[in-house]
Amino acid sequence: MSKPLIKITNIKRDFILGNEIVYVLKGINLEIKKGEYVALMGPSGSGKSTLMNLLGCLDTPTSGTYILNGKDVSQMHDDELADIRNKEIGFIFQTFNLLPRTTALDNVALPMIYAGYSKAERKERATSVLHQVNLADRMDHQPNQLSGGQRQRVAIARALVNKPSIILADEPTGNLDSKTSEEIMKLLEEIHGNGNTIIVVTHEEEIAAHAKRIIRLRDGMIESDTTK
């Protein structure tokens, strides 16, 4: 049996608000294998955004352990977490999060700067992933010269550029019309077909339907975990 890519054991996350403690995650146990395509669902207040932030190493748990690709990230400090985020996780956000006055090519190459690649390596790899998302002809365009769907393709290329262990997509079609949403989800399916592990956080059933496994949260606990 291969080790899981993600292993979360009894993860709890509390937040202090004034004199109150809010218990958001109440002991989550979860394993995700390499190459899975998982959707994380749940109503507002279920804890799915908090869990996503923990999975993405944007936050650390109050208690419990999180092993990502063999490393215990639950005890790491900010600098170590930043390094893990850059190397192990490719983020896709609802709002694209692109630099406005920067070309598509330079937006995609950005994570490689932090990872210490040379300029030539950055250009070659960024060009390659822009080809992969069918945007080779838009490399020199800035975000304001691109449609919403094209911007999300740039964001997907940027998420892929460092060959991360996980692609973490937070409501990736939230700002797109239904036709463009379908195109983006088709692209994510192709990326999954290439062997990438994908976790999509969504509240839309039709987006979750693209995943092979759906985990539903309610009140800070896993309510159901179903595999197709």
Side-chain angles (χ1 to χ4, degrees), residues 133-135 149-157 183-184 187:
V133 301
N134 300 323
L135 270 188
Q150 288 169 334
R151 281 183 227 169
Q152 194 57 298
R153 284 172 185 270
V154 173
I156 290 170
E183 288 168 10
I184 291 297
L187 178 58

Side-chain angles (χ1 to χ4, degrees), residues 200-221:
V200 175
V201 179
T202 183
H203 66 280
E204 294 181 63
E205 293 290 345
E206 57 268 34
I207 297 301
H210 290 267
K212 307 289 180 269
R213 177 180 171 195
I214 299 179
I215 297 166
R216 294 177 194 273
L217 270 77
R218 185 173 293 278
D219 301 328
M221 305 283 287

Side-chain angles (χ1 to χ4, degrees), residues 132-150:
Q132 194 181 335
V133 301
N134 300 323
L135 270 188
D137 58 339
R138 293 281 189 274
M139 254 181 248
D140 299 327
H141 289 54
Q142 292 180 0
N144 65 353
Q145 298 169 305
L146 300 171
S147 69
Q150 288 169 334

Side-chain angles (χ1 to χ4, degrees), residues 38-164:
V38 180
L40 208 54
M41 297 197 77
S44 191
S46 62
K48 73 174 186 295
S49 298
T50 303
L51 181 57
M52 190 204 73
N53 287 338
L54 290 172
L55 288 170
C57 296
L58 296 162
D59 189 17
T60 48
T62 306
S63 63
T65 55
Y66 173 17
I67 309 291
L68 170 59
N69 216 1
K71 302 180 193 84
D72 185 349
V73 295
S74 39
Q75 306 299 321
M76 285 186 178
H77 300 297
D78 289 351
D79 290 354
E80 296 171 295
L81 286 172
D83 193 44
I84 290 281
R85 279 198 301 273
N86 192 43
K87 291 183 177 146
E88 299 278 358
I89 302 158
F91 291 96
I92 303 167
F93 298 100
Q94 177 177 347
T95 50
F96 320 131
N97 287 17
L98 300 174
L99 297 175
R101 290 180 193 80
T102 307
T103 63
L105 186 71
D106 287 339
N107 262 296
V108 171
L110 192 64
M112 297 185 75
I113 295 175
Y114 300 121
Y117 289 95
S118 70
K119 195 169 181 184
E121 286 172 314
R122 294 197 303 264
K123 188 173 180 187
E124 185 186 344
R125 174 75 184 139
T127 302
S128 162
V129 286
L130 279 166
H131 273 277
Q132 194 181 335
V133 301
N134 300 323
L135 270 188
D137 58 339
R138 293 281 189 274
M139 254 181 248
D140 299 327
H141 289 54
Q142 292 180 0
N144 65 353
Q145 298 169 305
L146 300 171
S147 69
Q150 288 169 334
R151 281 183 227 169
Q152 194 57 298
R153 284 172 185 270
V154 173
I156 290 170
R158 181 185 58 193
L160 289 168
V161 79
N162 274 348
K163 300 181 180 172

